[in-house]
Amino acid sequence: MKKPVITKEQALELKKTYPTPFHIYDEKGIVENAEELISSFSWCKGFKEHFAVKATPNPTIMKILHNLGCGMDCSSMTELMLCEKCGITGDDIMFTSNETPAEEYAYALRLGATITLDDLTHVDFLASIAGGKLPECVSLRYNNGVNFAVNNQIMGTPQDAKYGMTRDQLVEAIRKLRDYGVKRFGLHAFLASNNLGNDYYPTLAGILFRTAKELAAETGADFAFINLSGGVGIPYRPEDEKPNIPVIAERVRREYESVFDGDMKPSIRTELGRYMLGPYGNLITTVLHFKHIYKEYAGVDACAANLMRPAMYGAYHHITVLGKEDAPATVKYDVVGGLCENNDKFAVDRMLPALDIGDILAIHDTGAHGFAMGYNYNGRLRSAELLLRKDGTVKLIRRAETPDDYFATMIFD
Ligand SMILES: *Cc1c(COP(=O)(O)O)cnc(C)c1O
């Protein structure tokens, strides 16, 4: 059974100050999970998780992870600025972007971020921005074009994905970058998202380790790190199992030791987003209305603008009715938000305990790619984000948007 971040009593108390809907995160869960990741990879000198900022771009969350020794992975100018505002700069930042505007590379260079190039043509582009003086270490994103992973719903198959460069292009990129004075390299790939089971990282690591070793032999390049990127999944469904990070890290270690049996000893980086935060956030929402036509609908005060994944990918998010945790699930509902879009459904044909108006629902696993994918369609405003701290108190870590925020960019002539 999935445990909500807060109880009904806590939700009722919080609602007095922070009206629903809101997202709430569990600090204890976040910290324990991050610590397990870091200790599981402690066999690898220099291991670092660079949290994918896009998953949960919140300063408090970022600082919690940074204090545990994590860096950040950014994909845009504003994410770079956000890191800078949080006091996170230099090699603590990976900048893994695509279709990157010149000013974003310039900003990343100024912060001293480690840049991952998505394409061969970006070598000259970056050099022109850097005035010919590139950083000592540059990372390259590889797309092996081979479909091996379990879950391609979010990213598409590697052959169809827009990311990364081919094997031949890696060689050419390394040669060009060395001519520009680059001394060390990173190798990066992100081939599939939300992979359950324990195979994804070990398989990807095997591919990247062997590729890096071959590239080193072919070009003489010195590899500072291999970046396994994101993609480890989380159990959205109650019957799913959480990937076992100690087992995964151990299997990556075996790949590492079988490939790097000589002097070559690159470190490992990861850029997990979903795995770091997903299970430790809930979207809390209140039942407003029922409607019975051809189906039974329960209308809530949150909508897809607060959590887009069900509408966008048909993604499953488990729902707990607070205070009815042990009640039998006897009624089949579509749980829906108020957008003028028929895909605004948090659940379709979901068996739940009989609901009452005013019941509070915890929509699970919204800690990553939840609030972050929010938008303002239909004039809906983004919600607050709260943190349940380790000491049991609750802290506001982002206020809800107000109509003034919505009007701020409009021009009223
Ligand atoms: C989105 C993204 C991640 C994080 O992916 P998760 O599936 O959340 O782990 C990591 N690296 C890059 C480059 C990304 O675009």
Side-chain angles (χ1 to χ4, degrees):
M1 209 163 88
K2 280 184 176 279
K3 193 171 174 295
V5 171
I6 47 173
T7 62
K8 180 180 177 185
E9 288 62 40
Q10 285 171 304
L12 286 171
E13 190 56 35
L14 285 171
K15 267 187 81 162
K16 293 179 192 160
T17 318
Y18 310 111
T20 54
F22 56 77
H23 284 267
I24 186 161
Y25 307 99
D26 170 21
E27 182 180 23
K28 184 164 176 283
I30 294 167
V31 168
E32 287 175 0
N33 184 63
E35 284 174 345
E36 182 189 54
L37 174 80
I38 293 165
S39 76
S40 298
F41 278 97
S42 60
W43 58 264
C44 179
K45 190 162 176 278
F47 169 80
K48 195 178 246 180
E49 152 69 7
H50 289 256
F51 174 62
V53 170
K54 71 165 193 264
T56 322
N58 182 293
T60 307
I61 300 286
M62 290 162 64
K63 285 180 193 168
I64 289 171
L65 292 172
H66 190 238
N67 286 337
L68 295 171
C70 295
M72 297 292 139
D73 174 53
C74 297
S75 60
S76 69
M77 179 86 131
T78 40
E79 287 182 358
L80 289 169
M81 291 170 152
L82 174 56
C83 280
E84 192 179 21
K85 280 179 182 288
C86 293
I88 303 170
T89 58
D91 191 41
D92 270 351
I93 304 177
M94 292 289 313
F95 184 55
T96 313
S97 56
N98 56 93
E99 318 318 328
T100 314
E103 60 272 21
E104 302 200 358
Y105 275 139
Y107 206 95
L109 287 166
R110 192 173 71 60
L111 286 184
T114 303
I115 294 171
T116 300
L117 296 180
D118 184 62
D119 190 59
L120 175 59
T121 59
H122 288 220
V123 174
D124 288 332
F125 187 60
L126 183 67
S128 72
I129 295 156
K133 207 185 158 309
L134 284 173
E136 262 206 24
C137 181
V138 172
S139 166
L140 301 171
R141 186 163 182 171
Y142 181 32
N143 182 335
N144 71 341
V146 177
N147 184 12
F148 70 89
V150 206
N151 187 345
N152 298 113
Q153 183 195 10
I154 297 172
M155 305 269 297
T157 57
Q159 308 90 294
D160 295 328
K162 65 179 178 175
Y163 311 105
M165 46 189 120
T166 66
R167 177 71 169 71
D168 290 347
Q169 289 173 335
L170 289 176
V171 174
E172 204 179 329
I174 289 169
R175 297 217 159 106
K176 285 187 107 155
L177 285 164
R178 294 182 93 193
D179 289 344
Y180 282 120
V182 172
K183 300 248 175 330
R184 310 192 76 203
F185 295 87
L187 187 64
H188 174 288
F190 187 15
L191 301 181
S193 201
N194 194 30
N195 296 282
L196 289 176
N198 297 329
D199 292 340
Y200 176 68
Y201 259 10
T203 310
L204 177 66
I207 292 170
L208 290 181
F209 294 165
R210 284 189 291 278
T211 305
K213 192 172 172 180
E214 287 166 19
L215 289 169
E218 283 167 47
T219 65
D222 178 11
F223 280 90
F225 63 85
I226 308 296
N227 190 334
L228 303 178
S229 189
V232 176
I234 59 168
Y236 284 104
R237 291 174 185 270
E239 67 271 23
D240 291 342
E241 240 178 276
K242 187 183 187 222
N244 187 324
I245 276 290
V247 168
I248 290 171
E250 176 57 24
R251 285 182 52 192
V252 170
R253 185 174 71 82
R254 271 185 261 148
E255 294 287 340
Y256 189 98
E257 288 172 357
S258 78
V259 176
F260 300 123
D261 49 3
D263 290 343
M264 186 172 176
K265 294 276 179 245
S267 65
I268 293 176
R269 295 184 181 189
T270 55
E271 288 171 356
L272 294 166
R274 188 185 321 272
Y275 183 82
M276 302 305 286
L277 253 296
Y280 312 109
N282 286 173
L283 173 58
I284 305 295
T285 183
T286 305
V287 176
L288 297 181
H289 297 288
F290 295 111
K291 165 164 185 165
H292 184 78
I293 43 172
Y294 309 101
K295 299 181 85 172
E296 191 68 39
Y297 292 95
V300 297
D301 59 6
C303 66
N306 306 113
L307 174 69
M308 180 154 58
R309 299 188 71 260
M312 190 171 182
Y313 312 115
Y316 181 94
H317 281 264
H318 198 65
I319 295 177
T320 298
V321 187
L322 297 183
K324 296 184 180 175
E325 283 83 352
D326 299 320
T330 52
V331 184
K332 190 189 274 185
Y333 293 100
D334 279 13
V335 179
V336 301
L339 290 191
C340 305
E341 276 291 348
N342 196 42
N343 65 2
D344 185 13
K345 297 182 176 181
F346 292 113
V348 175
D349 294 335
R350 182 78 55 90
M351 295 302 294
L352 292 172
L355 295 171
D356 292 294
I357 287 179
D359 272 350
I360 305 173
L361 309 183
I363 303 180
H364 290 261
D365 302 307
T366 64
H369 311 297
F371 177 94
M373 289 170 103
Y375 52 104
N376 284 127
Y377 190 52
N378 273 196
R380 297 291 173 179
L381 303 175
R382 288 181 186 78
S383 77
E385 291 179 294
L386 308 179
L387 179 71
L388 175 65
R389 289 193 286 201
K390 284 197 267 189
D391 64 8
T393 61
V394 172
K395 183 182 178 215
L396 180 70
I397 60 172
R398 183 196 303 264
R399 69 161 172 82
E401 282 180 344
T402 66
D404 283 342
D405 295 317
Y406 181 71
F407 298 135
T409 54
M410 293 182 187
I411 295 162
F412 296 92
D413 281 331

